Amino acid sequence: MEEGCMINSNFLGISLFMRCLRMLVRILVLLYLAGAPALAQTLCQPNASNGCRVRISIKTALGNQAYEWNENEMFLFRATMAFAMRRYYKTETYNVDNIIMCNQTLRVSFWFVVTSPENSTMLIPKADVEKAVRMSRHRINNAFLLTDRTLEFLGIHPTLAAPVNPDTPPWLIVFGVVIGAVFAGIIALLVSSLLQKRRKEKGMMEDGQDEEDRQMKGVENDNVLDGIYNRGFTDDDRFTKL
Amino acid sequence: MPEEGMEDNKGREERPKWNNKAEYLLTCIGFAVGLGNVWRFPYLCQIYGGGAFLIPYLIALVFQGLPLLYLELAIGQRLRMGSIGVWSSISPYLGGVGVASMVVSFCVSLFYNTIVAWVLWYLFNSFQDPLPWSQCPLNHNNTGYVKECVESTPVNYFWYRQTLNITPNMETSGSLQWWLVVSLATAWSIVYICFIRGIETIGKAVYVTATFPYLVLTIFLVRALTLPGSSEGLIYLFTPDWEILKNPQVWLDAATQIFFSLSVAFGGLISFSSYNSQKNNCERDAVLVGVINSATSIYASIPIFAILGFKAHTNYVTCLNGNILALTNEFDISDMNITVENYEQWFDSLNGTHPSRVSDLNLKTCDLQTFLDQSASGTGLAFIVFTEAVISMPGSQVWAVLFFIMLFSLGLSSMFGNLEGVLTPLHDLKLVPKWMPNELFTALICLVSFLVALIFTMGSGNYWLEVFNSYVGSVPLLIIAFFEIIAVAYIYGIGRFSDDLEFMTGHRPNIFWKGCWLVISPLMLFVVLVAYVAVQAQTHPTYPAWNPDYVNFPDTEVLPYPDWVFAICVLLSSVPVISIPLVAIYRLICCMSGRHSKGSLHNDPNIYANEGYVVES
């Protein structure tokens, strides 16, 4: 009898141990599953050294056509950031899970960090994230119908618009047109004055005496009158000496 | 009285005539209505209590402006000569008045056309998108904006750096700015083409240059009244402050504004009316020109101030939006929850709950009144304030182009009078060689003016322009006008003048005109002259300099004029008027030594000479 009890107590002890072990494993698994996001949360914190803050002003940008910022938009943001990381590193390993966001406010603003695809506890340095964002800034903006000023990555300055340098400054073109027209006008007027003067001189030399006679100037009461020589009255002595 | 109604008719061309009355009137109106009507009168109206300023202004117009205007038009029409000839005819000792007019006209046309050149430069640059004064250019390595532009504003930067390339003070002359030289050449070429055939071409040009500004002002008026904030600007402009009438400075400024606005004493009006026929009602012309000039000033101030009100409103909203953004970002409030309307409530509540955080933001105080008080006159109004307003208007290129074409027309029509005041006396003095055609002579004068005006295209050109504007275009004119009125009223004699007027207009001048010419106008002119000189002499003159290295940049640094510049200022004021006593002394010496000076100007021709009778043998 004593041997059966001893075997029974041993059997009980082992099963208890196995149960404990199983519970421990279960707890650990549960902890791991529950703790993963908690772990992720500790990775993403406001003012973290490798985190970036984003500030979005949808109503300012779109006015009446503003969309609401909800979980779906957050998902789009994570997908766009993953795209930017893929493009920068030229690899296809980045995924939506690698972008972790936290501390969302009503503003709308939030922080995000990027984890490495190989090691989910390792964060990509802020400098690299910034470079990736700069490279794909235009695409990120367009995904949200926003601009550099309404989708702000704090710490990344908006790119300055490249100056448009036309080959000839536009003002020179306008100046050229105006000065060309003016000089053409001057030459035209001078030439026409010259021609008029020549015609008048020629006319005067041909008619000679007659012109002078025709344009007599009479003066009456300090008013200058244009008199016309009355050719009905001629000095016959000039022509006939009978 | 000397019969100057005849020209030498031995085959020379007769005195040019206006094609019709409209051309003559439009030319006189265009000469009187200039840039000052647009950018000086609204400013004066604003700083001197709005509607209340109209009272001293209209009093000065009636008692000083109109009599002078009538006098000049009448004398030119009667004696049918330019300024030198006219005053020499009245009395040989007064020929200096005409010479002074001519010198002042020449100096004024130099700097006035430079302003027209600046307007042209801005006009050429208005055909771009975006407008060059709307944004700062990038610096050398494209990392940021140019520092000078960021510290001031893009419009200031475009004016002071990209247009004038101004030096920090007057001693540094800088070099000729080629783009300004080019604009100046364009301006003088356009003036020349309008002067090529004398009043024949001027008469055609004024159909456009004298009427276009009114069209543009009306367009701007309609546009401005639909902009937000325009009503505040207009209320601000016209709200009368009757207390201001007790300040003598207001009366002085009203008198000087009317005087300079009517462009008397330049000799240009005398020249224009000398091309009239003698039987022309110059009284009606004078009243018409004077009234239209003042009406234009008042009419122009309405759209100008509507637009300035719009600009103040825009600045106010921008200032508020900056504060709103700061508050929204600091307290993470939802976007667009704080608006311009509820800003006050939000600010009070946030300041109550988190005063330290709010004060750390260093929010700007935004007051609409402060923005409305930022007034400017002169080139500051046109090239800085107005260009800034135009950027905020939709379709800015159109408005900029319209505005600068309007300024160009105003300046060009005034240039006609300025240059005419130089050319006609030279023609009448027979200083033009016989072999030289008129076109060549005009071209020569334009070329000489262009070369001398190159001073104003240097780096320090703007400072020199202000010197010319303040010292040539002010005191000499007052002195000349004073001598003019004394000459006609007392030396020529009011009786003889009344006879002339009866001959020309058909009736004698009434008691109002006689009273003004004899007593009121000379007295007013004398008082204005003395007061003006006294006010100027009180302070050592200073000028505002644009110096990027200045401690308080972007405020302008107020520097005193160097001594050599001050000497030049005194010279500029005195050299034109020194000719008045000089010529009188010269004639006195000639007369006393028994010789008659050359020229038939003061030899009375035989009034019995009937030149209709020519002996042919």
Side-chain angles (χ1 to χ4, degrees), chain A residues 165-169:
Chain A
N165 271 334
D167 290 329
T168 38

Side-chain angles (χ1 to χ4, degrees), chain B residues 89-169:
Chain B
S89 307
I90 289 185
S91 158
Y93 301 107
L94 283 178
V97 176
V99 173
S101 273
M102 189 176 76
V103 172
V104 168
S105 278
F106 178 70
C107 292
V108 169
S109 65
L110 288 179
F111 74 80
Y112 207 85
N113 220 20
T114 311
I115 302 180
V116 173
W118 291 340
V119 171
L120 274 180
W121 162 254
Y122 267 79
L123 177 63
F124 294 155
N125 275 292
S126 301
F127 288 96
Q128 304 175 32
D129 180 32
L131 290 172
W133 54 82
S134 61
Q135 48 188 234
C136 280
L138 297 178
N139 58 15
H140 285 301
N141 37 11
N142 284 6
T143 53
Y145 297 115
V146 173
K147 178 162 161 281
E148 189 182 343
C149 186
V150 168
E151 284 173 6
S152 57
T153 63
V155 273
N156 273 323
Y157 180 74
F158 185 75
W159 168 238
Y160 284 111
R161 188 56 52 212
Q162 290 179 304
T163 303
L164 299 174
N165 200 10
I166 207 164
T167 53
N169 53 42

Side-chain angles (χ1 to χ4, degrees), chain A:
Chain A
M1 251 335 141
E2 282 161 13
E3 289 161 355
C5 279
M6 253 178 37
I7 294 174
N8 269 348
S9 66
N10 278 349
F11 188 67
L12 267 175
I14 290 176
S15 69
L16 197 64
F17 176 70
M18 288 304 293
R19 213 179 288 152
C20 288
L21 198 62
R22 235 177 280 148
M23 207 173 292
L24 200 64
V25 169
R26 223 176 271 145
I27 288 174
L28 275 175
V29 167
L30 267 173
L31 262 178
Y32 175 76
L33 281 174
L39 189 65
Q41 281 302 101
T42 55
L43 282 176
C44 170
Q45 275 185 7
N47 297 319
S49 56
N50 280 328
C52 285
R53 186 160 183 221
V54 175
R55 197 151 60 198
I56 301 185
S57 318
I58 309 175
K59 285 208 196 102
T60 312
L62 299 172
N64 284 344
Q65 291 155 352
Y67 49 80
E68 192 196 322
W69 187 260
N70 52 23
E71 284 298 320
N72 298 334
E73 308 289 343
M74 296 278 269
F75 182 77
L76 178 59
F77 183 81
R78 294 164 73 193
T80 322
M81 279 311 302
F83 162 76
M85 299 306 293
R86 283 194 185 193
R87 217 164 150 237
Y88 178 64
Y89 280 116
K90 299 190 182 40
T91 159
E92 288 173 13
T93 51
Y94 280 90
N95 219 326
V96 182
D97 298 326
N98 295 117
I99 316 290
I100 306 167
M101 298 161 59
C102 57
N103 219 37
Q104 190 183 346
T105 67
L106 278 175
R107 167 65 181 79
V108 171
S109 74
F110 49 83
W111 287 83
F112 75 92
V113 292
V114 182
T115 59
S116 164
E118 290 90 31
N119 184 353
S120 57
T121 53
M122 199 179 82
L123 294 180
I124 304 289
K126 185 166 174 172
D128 292 333
V129 174
E130 280 182 6
K131 287 198 194 115
V133 167
R134 272 216 190 88
M135 193 167 127
S136 307
R137 190 67 188 265
H138 189 62
R139 302 290 298 270
I140 302 174
N141 285 349
N142 277 356
F144 292 95
L145 308 172
L146 299 172
T147 66
D148 277 3
R149 293 199 191 286
T150 41
L151 173 58
E152 296 170 78
F153 287 85
L154 296 189
I156 305 179
H157 294 293
T159 44
L160 302 166
V164 176
N165 271 334
D167 290 329
T168 38
W171 75 268
L172 264 182
I173 300 176
V174 184
F175 159 72
V177 169
V178 169
I179 202 82
V182 168
F183 274 135
I186 290 179
I187 292 176
L189 282 171
L190 284 178
V191 163
S192 79
S193 294
L194 213 63
L195 286 179
Q196 248 182 28
K197 221 175 274 180
R198 281 233 190 93
R199 224 178 286 138
K200 210 158 70 165
E201 272 170 25
K202 230 169 64 164
M204 276 189 77
M205 283 200 311
E206 276 174 10
D207 300 334
Q209 207 67 359
D210 288 17
E211 281 293 328
E212 235 177 339
D213 290 0
R214 203 168 287 135
Q215 288 173 10
M216 296 287 277
K217 293 208 179 0
V219 176
E220 183 184 305
N221 290 342
D222 297 318
N223 280 348
V224 177
L225 301 174
D226 283 340
I228 299 180
Y229 193 78
N230 181 1
R231 296 182 69 89
F233 173 76
T234 54
D235 192 358
D236 282 331
D237 286 357
R238 213 160 50 177
F239 296 114
T240 51
K241 282 237 189 289
L242 294 169

Side-chain angles (χ1 to χ4, degrees), chain B residues 421-460:
Chain B
V422 176
L423 288 176
T424 311
L426 289 176
H427 274 296
D428 293 332
L429 274 184
K430 311 227 183 350
L431 282 178
V432 187
K434 301 255 194 312
W435 50 268
M436 198 186 270
N438 278 346
E439 289 87 347
L440 187 59
F441 181 63
T442 314
L444 207 65
I445 298 286
C446 286
L447 186 66
V448 166
S449 307
F450 166 69
L451 290 175
V452 176
L454 285 177
I455 314 170
F456 302 120
T457 57
M458 292 191 307
S460 54

Side-chain angles (χ1 to χ4, degrees), chain B residues 468-483:
Chain B
F468 268 70
N469 190 17
S470 314
Y471 290 97
V472 171
S474 56
V475 172
L477 287 172
L478 287 168
I479 297 179
I480 293 172
F482 181 70
F483 274 99

Side-chain angles (χ1 to χ4, degrees), chain B residues 166-205:
Chain B
I166 207 164
T167 53
N169 53 42
M170 264 180 112
E171 287 96 344
T172 341
S173 292
S175 57
L176 291 180
Q177 315 302 324
W178 67 269
W179 56 91
L180 286 183
V181 174
V182 152
S183 304
L184 190 65
T186 315
W188 277 109
S189 308
I190 297 180
V191 168
Y192 175 59
I193 196 179
C194 292
F195 261 89
I196 263 189
R197 288 210 195 135
I199 60 171
E200 191 186 323
T201 37
I202 292 177
K204 300 288 181 298

Side-chain angles (χ1 to χ4, degrees), chain B residues 405-425:
Chain B
I405 294 188
M406 174 184 82
L407 287 187
F408 176 68
S409 319
L410 287 169
L412 189 65
S413 56
S414 295
M415 272 306 294
F416 293 155
N418 283 333
L419 205 56
E420 191 67 28
V422 176
L423 288 176
T424 311

